[in-house]
Amino acid sequence: MQTHLSMINSDFLLKIFKETPFPALVLLPDAPHFTIVDINLAFLKTKNRNQKDLICKSVFEVFPEANQYKNEAGISDLFNSLQTVVASRVADKMPVQKFENKTENSEKYYIESENIPILNDFGEIEYILHTSVNVTEKENAVRQFRSTEKKLLAAQQIAKIGYWKLDIPKNKLFWSEEVYNIFGINKDDFKLNYELFFQTIHPEDKEAFIKARSAAIAGEKEMDFEFRVNQPNGVQKWIHEKGKLVKNEKGEPVIFEGTVQDVTEAKLLKLSLEESNQRYHYVTKATFDAIYDWDLITDECYWGSGFQKSFGYDLKTLLSDKNFWETHVHSEDHDNVVNEINKAVKGTAKNWLNEYRFQKADGSYVFVLDRGILIRDKKGKAIRMVGAIQDITEKKNLQQLLDKANRLARIGSWEIDVGSATVYWSDMVKEIRETGPDFIPTLREGITHFKEGYSKDTIIARVKDAVKYGTPWQEDLQIYTHKGNLKWMRTIGKAEIVNGKCIKIYGSFQDIDESKKAELKILKLYEEKNTILESIGDAFFTLDKNWIVGYWNKEAEKMLMTPKSKIVGKYLWDVFSQSVGSISFKKYHESFETNERVVFEDFYHTLEKWFEISVYPSENGLSVYFKDITERKLSQIQLNELHENLQKTAHNLAVSNAGLEQFAYIASHDLQEPLRMVTGFLTQLEKKYSNIIDEKGKQYIYFAVDGAKRMRQIILDLLQFSRVGRFEGLTEEVDTNKVVEDIVSLHKKKIEKTKAIIHFDKLPFVHTFKSPLTQVIENLLSNALKYQKPGQQPVIKIAAEKLTSHWQFSVQDNGIGIDPEYYERIFIIFQRLHHKEEYSGTGIGLAIVKKIVEGMGGGIWVESKKGEGSTFFFTIKR
Ligand code: ADP
């Protein structure tokens, strides 16, 4: 049965296959070989191969060998495609393959291949038809288009141009990526519509924008408009928008499209240029600087109004060439200035600067500073010079004055160019460093002469810091001059930083040797004074006129229990607030007001201390000295108390003494009266009744009278004793030799009787009360005569010895002596060691002596040996 509906027979079909211009292969589906069973002529032609080389071979065997499928991907693409076809029995198009034709100038070409299954009547694959079409042209066109599109996008991005389009019938707006970028809007967050966009326009530009847009949409005028938008991040941009209306064949507007461009930079530049032009305009009008604009090509010159204002020239008469200027430069400066200008013009400099003398219209000369800017073309040739000439006469004079002042102050200047390491020293620096005027300084020279140690280390560190961090410095350092003299210098340095790099260090150098030495001397004095102030036992502090504490020494810290850190620099009454209104508070104010020294004592309750405070006013405030007198004060108080007590006791004593004396006086009188009566009547009794009274009776009467006599004596003694110690009259120079002589003559009888020997020699003159002293010596001498062994010749020695504050007298005898047991007792009133029959006496003598001696500020004591004699010592004040 004929299954083919074709009217062409199969041989003819084969012929067509062979002849068709599309390269084709017939393969068996015998994976993985895919054997070639037929090839058409077009294929053989394109591959330039013979049929017999290919037939019956695996397609992979043939083509890799021929190096047709250059890359692995090509082979695997073919293999994958054939496999797909076998599995699916559907035709499969392979990806376009790129080839390079080795023979024809390695031209690139692109092949698109398709594998088509040829099924038998059972639907099984009998053959696979592999066709290849050269798609180079098409591929090139696509590639070309893609790259142009890319370039266009990039160009838009670079030019900051965005494209927009409004479909009028649909009212649909489109923005290209760049439009979003220009308006600073995130595409994903923004639902594109005209209203939202309109809001971003600067309020001042909204009205004009609407006008321009409406006119464009109405077809009156294409849109070409500049306006400002505010980006959501607050940045303002200048936008240049162009828009054009597109109409359809019927003349209806269908599309409104155009571009937006970010012109911010250019616009700002333009604005600032306008501004600076305006400023320039005003400056030329306002300034006294004479501005000129010299065209170097035409040699024409423009002279600003400053030439009129500053130098008095009439602008209308000035010719526009440089001759006017040249002829008015001072003849002495002329050649130099013209030379310099020519050099600058021919060279590469951008700026020119010079100082010279310039003639005014009235013929006088002034100093000017001429600053020019050279404008050059692309080749570097100077085409124009714009500049300003400034009258600096005044400045110059000032500079000269300053120079003079600097000379006087011995200040010089220096400069280090960091890049070239060149160093400049002014003449003054050279003078200070004693180098001589022709000395050429170097960086090393600048530093090596600083004194080793602190000075050198410091200057090196300062220079390094200036270069590294731009830190300025000021230091007083020591340096050896070139003549070897060590001097104090003040060096001040500053760094000039350009683009974060130090290019120059400059500064001044001042000879401060004399003042520094004076300062150091003062400092030393001050330190010495300080050490003194610190080491004195007194607390010391100073106050300024505002009660701020300036100085507070160690002792003050201790005494007032306040460390320096807590008080220096503080308001005194803040720290000692509890003392406001105290005695100290008032006295300080007093010293301030009267400007006089004030000394006072004050008790500080918080410290429980007494202070003696001396306040000295000075020009700057007060100096205050504190002495802790707590101990002295306390003992003084105790002493006062004691004194008061003593006074009371003395008073009481005086009262009682007076009473006693009165009593003694009365007693002696009143007692004597009955005694006299007793004695008188007894004497009468003895006289009248002597014949009646027997011997025994007469003896009794004698005893009674004797008793009464002794009683009277006791009373008299008592009266005398009570009066002792009241020294009346004046003290006098007493010759003790004379006193002793008088006493000896008083006891003449007894002395002669006992043949007593009395020694005394060169006794002193004593300033004292005479009679009490006489009484003392008399008592001691009479005792010495009295207390002798019966029949013994008394030997008595009276002597005196000079002690530091006293005279020490001694009365020595060779008498009976005294038992040490009684050394004290014998000085007590009425104390006797003997019976009246043995040695007469009342026992009052030594008590009186003791009272007198002690009353005159002296003392009395005895040294004795029983049976050998006694020595009585007494002292009286010199
Ligand atoms: P009076 O001589 O009246 O007894 P004094 O007061 O003079 O009293 O002496 C007190 C006592 O001291 C005497 O009784 C005597 O015992 C003793 N005495 C005084 N002087 C001497 C002396 N020179 N030698 C020995 N004993 C003395």
Side-chain angles (χ1 to χ4, degrees):
M1 206 177 79
Q2 181 71 17
T3 52
H4 299 290
L5 286 173
S6 174
M7 288 159 66
I8 308 165
N9 69 35
S10 49
D11 281 348
F12 211 75
L13 278 175
L14 198 65
K15 208 166 178 182
I16 293 173
F17 164 73
K18 285 279 185 192
E19 295 296 331
T20 179
F22 302 107
L25 283 177
V26 180
L27 307 173
L28 285 180
D30 58 345
H33 300 292
F34 298 100
T35 313
I36 301 169
V37 289
D38 209 347
I39 310 145
N40 74 0
L41 294 172
F43 194 95
L44 289 172
K45 197 178 166 202
T46 50
K47 301 292 177 205
N48 205 13
R49 301 285 285 265
N50 279 330
Q51 178 154 6
K52 63 174 189 308
D53 296 341
L54 305 175
I55 216 100
C56 289
K57 294 203 172 137
S58 162
V59 71
F60 300 109
E61 208 180 321
V62 173
F63 292 111
E65 246 177 24
N67 205 14
Q68 290 286 357
Y69 291 94
K70 213 171 181 204
N71 47 25
E72 281 296 316
I75 295 170
S76 65
D77 279 350
L78 177 63
F79 186 73
N80 286 342
S81 180
L82 291 171
Q83 289 278 48
T84 311
V85 170
V86 169
S88 67
R89 282 176 280 170
V90 177
D92 182 62
K93 234 181 215 174
M94 282 168 60
V96 175
Q97 303 284 322
K98 180 178 161 192
F99 293 93
E100 226 166 286
N101 201 334
K102 290 264 166 171
T103 49
E104 292 164 34
N105 304 332
S106 58
E107 212 174 76
K108 283 184 206 117
Y109 63 97
Y110 298 89
I111 299 291
E112 190 176 57
S113 304
E114 189 171 9
N115 295 306
I116 306 152
I118 311 290
L119 306 180
N120 62 16
D121 295 343
F122 310 104
E124 293 162 343
I125 300 176
E126 203 139 320
Y127 302 107
I128 296 170
L129 182 69
H130 175 87
T131 64
S132 294
V133 183
N134 189 328
V135 291
T136 308
E137 234 164 81
K138 186 181 124 201
E139 197 66 22
N140 279 343
V142 169
R143 275 167 201 265
Q144 179 82 35
F145 175 72
R146 278 201 202 129
S147 90
T148 326
E149 196 184 44
K150 252 193 219 161
K151 273 184 204 151
L152 199 69
L153 270 174
Q156 282 189 9
Q157 240 165 24
I158 291 163
K160 294 187 182 161
I161 293 178
Y163 167 76
W164 56 267
K165 184 168 108 178
L166 175 69
D167 186 327
I168 296 171
K170 288 183 192 152
N171 191 24
K172 220 178 149 195
L173 188 61
F174 164 80
W175 280 6
S176 77
E177 288 293 327
E178 199 52 30
V179 181
Y180 288 97
N181 287 341
I182 290 169
F183 289 114
I185 288 167
N186 190 340
K187 192 175 179 179
D188 303 329
D189 304 344
F190 187 74
K191 197 160 153 19
L192 185 60
N193 74 53
Y194 173 72
E195 280 311 314
L196 281 178
F197 152 71
F198 184 69
Q199 277 172 26
T200 64
I201 297 177
H202 193 282
E204 284 172 23
D205 296 343
K206 275 185 175 158
E207 207 186 307
F209 179 83
I210 292 171
K211 232 169 132 185
R213 187 174 186 267
S214 310
I217 288 185
E220 290 163 18
K221 199 178 154 202
E222 282 191 4
M223 193 171 173
D224 188 344
F225 183 63
E226 271 182 9
F227 61 99
R228 287 163 286 178
V229 294
N230 291 323
Q231 290 190 346
N233 58 11
V235 175
Q236 195 179 72
K237 294 265 168 182
W238 275 95
I239 308 291
H240 182 196
E241 180 158 336
K242 282 188 168 189
K244 188 171 89 183
L245 201 65
V246 181
K247 294 178 182 168
N248 63 12
E249 311 88 60
K250 293 177 201 159
E252 297 159 342
V254 280
I255 283 169
F256 180 41
E257 63 176 358
T259 56
V260 285
Q261 186 173 13
D262 181 350
V263 292
T264 313
E265 266 170 47
K267 185 76 185 177
L268 291 181
L269 203 68
K270 205 174 137 205
L271 286 176
S272 73
L273 192 69
E274 274 167 19
E275 216 177 293
S276 82
N277 270 347
Q278 202 152 33
R279 242 183 285 143
Y280 175 76
H281 176 74
Y282 287 134
V283 165
T284 56
K285 279 247 167 327
T287 185
F288 277 86
D289 289 4
I291 289 174
Y292 60 87
D293 191 343
W294 173 25
D295 188 326
L296 295 168
I297 308 294
T298 62
D299 213 15
E300 257 180 324
C301 265
Y302 155 82
W303 310 110
S305 55
F307 281 93
Q308 188 159 9
K309 273 187 272 182
S310 288
F311 306 122
Y313 290 104
D314 183 357
L315 289 179
K316 280 175 249 150
T317 63
L318 290 185
L319 293 175
S320 56
D321 62 39
K322 92 171 195 283
N323 195 40
F324 151 69
W325 170 77
E326 250 194 85
T327 51
H328 289 93
V329 175
H330 194 284
S331 60
E332 280 173 27
D333 300 335
H334 177 272
D335 290 356
N336 171 31
V337 174
V338 172
N339 238 341
E340 291 272 317
I341 262 200
N342 288 339
K343 228 162 74 188
V345 169
K346 280 185 195 132
T348 54
K350 283 183 182 155
N351 299 300
W352 181 76
L353 184 91
N354 218 323
E355 271 182 33
Y356 51 87
R357 280 161 290 178
F358 189 70
Q359 195 174 32
K360 285 172 58 162
D362 64 9
S364 66
Y365 281 93
V366 287
F367 275 101
V368 294
L369 174 68
D370 188 343
R371 277 177 291 203
I373 297 168
L374 284 151
I375 298 164
R376 297 177 183 279
D377 65 8
K378 275 184 201 148
K379 287 182 192 150
K381 189 182 167 205
I383 49 170
R384 210 170 133 192
M385 182 165 162
V386 184
I389 301 176
Q390 193 184 12
D391 180 352
I392 54 159
T393 314
E394 221 166 285
K395 253 194 227 162
K396 196 88 184 170
N397 289 340
L398 250 150
Q399 181 65 42
Q400 270 165 0
L401 218 69
L402 198 71
D403 282 350
K404 226 180 190 175
N406 279 349
R407 281 209 86 68
L408 280 175
R410 295 184 67 74
I411 298 177
S413 62
W414 54 264
E415 213 174 281
I416 302 168
D417 188 298
V418 176
S420 63
T422 47
V423 178
Y424 159 81
W425 286 1
S426 76
D427 290 345
M428 196 63 199
V429 174
K430 290 179 189 171
E431 194 179 314
I432 295 170
R433 297 183 68 159
E434 299 184 319
T435 60
D438 300 328
F439 182 78
I440 297 165
T442 63
L443 202 55
R444 236 179 75 85
E445 281 292 338
I447 283 172
T448 48
H449 291 266
F450 279 88
K451 193 181 171 194
E452 285 296 334
Y454 175 77
S455 289
K456 193 178 270 185
D457 297 347
T458 305
I459 194 68
I460 291 172
R462 293 297 170 273
V463 172
K464 270 188 187 161
D465 280 356
V467 173
K468 228 173 164 181
Y469 311 110
T471 323
W473 80 79
Q474 171 169 344
E475 296 288 352
D476 293 352
L477 301 172
Q478 279 179 295
I479 195 165
Y480 284 101
T481 68
H482 281 233
K483 286 189 182 160
N485 297 317
L486 187 61
K487 278 189 181 182
W488 277 99
M489 304 287 157
R490 174 160 302 155
T491 150
I492 297 177
K494 269 192 181 130
E496 194 176 310
I497 309 283
V498 172
N499 296 332
K501 236 182 118 182
C502 173
I503 55 155
K504 200 198 272 177
I505 316 174
Y506 62 95
S508 65
F509 205 70
Q510 185 180 11
D511 182 347
I512 52 158
D513 199 51
E514 262 175 49
S515 61
K516 188 75 186 181
K517 276 179 186 156
E519 184 192 311
L520 287 177
K521 213 163 148 189
I522 292 169
L523 201 72
K524 207 174 148 215
L525 274 176
Y526 174 77
E527 269 167 15
E528 273 172 17
K529 220 170 88 188
N530 242 8
T531 9
I532 294 169
L533 287 177
E534 281 299 333
S535 57
I536 56 171
D538 290 351
F540 169 74
F541 66 87
T542 63
L543 294 169
D544 72 6
K545 296 226 149 98
N546 299 314
W547 303 102
I548 304 295
V549 178
Y551 187 83
W552 192 264
N553 78 350
K554 256 189 220 139
E555 203 54 34
E557 288 190 312
K558 248 195 272 165
M559 227 182 255
L560 298 169
M561 292 161 109
T562 309
K564 261 182 207 159
S565 57
K566 288 239 167 90
I567 186 131
V568 170
K570 303 242 166 73
Y571 181 64
L572 180 73
W573 307 118
D574 274 352
V575 183
F576 286 94
S577 52
Q578 71 281 359
S579 297
V580 172
S582 66
I583 297 176
S584 297
F585 183 83
K586 285 174 196 151
K587 293 287 185 182
Y588 290 0
H589 280 83
E590 184 187 315
S591 178
F592 246 141
E593 280 150 25
T594 58
N595 204 28
E596 265 171 36
R597 183 181 94 118
V598 177
V599 181
F600 61 96
E601 288 175 2
D602 193 7
F603 183 69
Y604 278 36
H605 290 275
T606 39
L607 304 173
E608 297 221 335
K609 275 183 182 170
W610 274 97
F611 293 106
E612 183 185 272
I613 303 162
S614 312
V615 187
Y616 295 87
S618 73
E619 243 173 69
N620 307 320
L622 295 180
S623 301
V624 184
Y625 293 85
F626 259 70
K627 201 180 251 165
D628 185 346
I629 52 159
T630 313
E631 257 173 57
R632 189 183 91 191
K633 198 73 189 172
L634 288 182
S635 56
Q636 196 182 331
I637 289 170
Q638 277 172 349
L639 213 66
N640 278 347
E641 276 170 15
L642 212 67
H643 183 70
E644 262 171 46
N645 283 344
L646 215 64
Q647 260 182 340
K648 264 188 215 157
T649 327
H651 177 74
N652 291 344
L653 216 62
V655 171
S656 80
N657 260 356
L660 199 67
E661 217 175 284
Q662 213 166 10
F663 163 75
Y665 182 76
I666 291 165
S668 61
H669 265 272
D670 292 4
L671 283 175
Q672 277 187 60
E673 172 59 23
L675 271 179
R676 257 198 303 273
M677 265 177 62
V678 170
T679 325
F681 281 109
L682 281 173
T683 316
Q684 288 295 329
L685 201 66
E686 200 188 5
K687 257 188 199 166
K688 284 200 176 166
Y689 302 99
S690 66
N691 47 349
I692 304 172
I693 302 169
D694 63 358
E695 273 312 303
K696 197 107 189 165
K698 282 179 184 166
Q699 205 176 0
Y700 287 157
I701 288 173
Y702 170 77
F703 283 145
V705 171
D706 187 50
K709 268 188 194 161
R710 277 197 292 124
M711 177 105 169
R712 191 169 166 262
Q713 189 56 48
I714 287 170
I715 289 168
L716 288 175
D717 284 350
L718 201 61
L719 188 63
Q720 195 195 357
F721 182 77
S722 76
R723 283 183 177 154
V724 167
R726 269 202 336 206
F727 305 112
E728 276 150 16
L730 295 169
T731 51
E732 54 189 304
E733 265 330 277
V734 181
D735 180 0
T736 45
N737 284 302
K738 184 86 172 55
V739 171
V740 174
E741 275 166 20
D742 289 348
I743 296 167
V744 168
S745 67
L746 202 71
H747 291 274
K748 204 175 164 187
K749 261 191 193 160
K750 184 150 195 186
I751 291 167
E752 277 173 0
K753 193 179 161 195
T754 55
K755 296 187 177 111
I757 301 167
I758 297 171
H759 293 287
F760 62 95
D761 190 22
K762 287 181 188 161
L763 291 175
F765 279 79
V766 182
H767 192 86
T768 188
F769 297 100
K770 189 179 175 184
S771 73
L773 179 65
T774 312
Q775 208 176 348
V776 169
I777 299 173
E778 199 276 325
N779 253 301
L780 294 177
L781 191 68
S782 66
N783 275 353
L785 285 168
K786 179 160 67 175
Y787 295 101
Q788 291 284 344
K789 284 165 263 175
Q792 176 161 301
Q793 181 187 26
V795 179
I796 298 165
K797 201 172 161 192
I798 301 167
E801 195 182 333
K802 193 179 184 180
L803 303 182
T804 42
S805 57
H806 288 80
W807 285 108
Q808 180 177 293
F809 285 86
S810 57
V811 180
Q812 188 184 19
D813 65 49
N814 58 341
I816 55 170
I818 305 164
D819 197 316
E821 188 184 340
Y822 303 116
Y823 281 0
E824 303 283 327
R825 232 170 90 180
I826 52 172
F827 294 105
I828 298 171
I829 190 168
F830 302 141
Q831 291 293 327
R832 310 195 65 240
L833 304 180
H834 309 278
H835 200 263
K836 71 172 169 54
E837 273 75 35
E838 210 179 342
Y839 294 102
S840 68
T842 52
I844 198 163
L846 286 181
I848 288 174
V849 166
K850 185 171 155 73
K851 206 174 171 191
I852 292 171
V853 170
E854 285 179 352
M856 292 199 301
I860 183 161
W861 67 98
V862 67
E863 284 172 11
S864 174
K865 211 163 180 192
K866 197 139 167 75
E868 287 183 17
S870 314
T871 308
F872 280 83
F873 296 92
F874 73 91
T875 56
I876 50 169
K877 259 194 185 158
R878 278 171 60 198

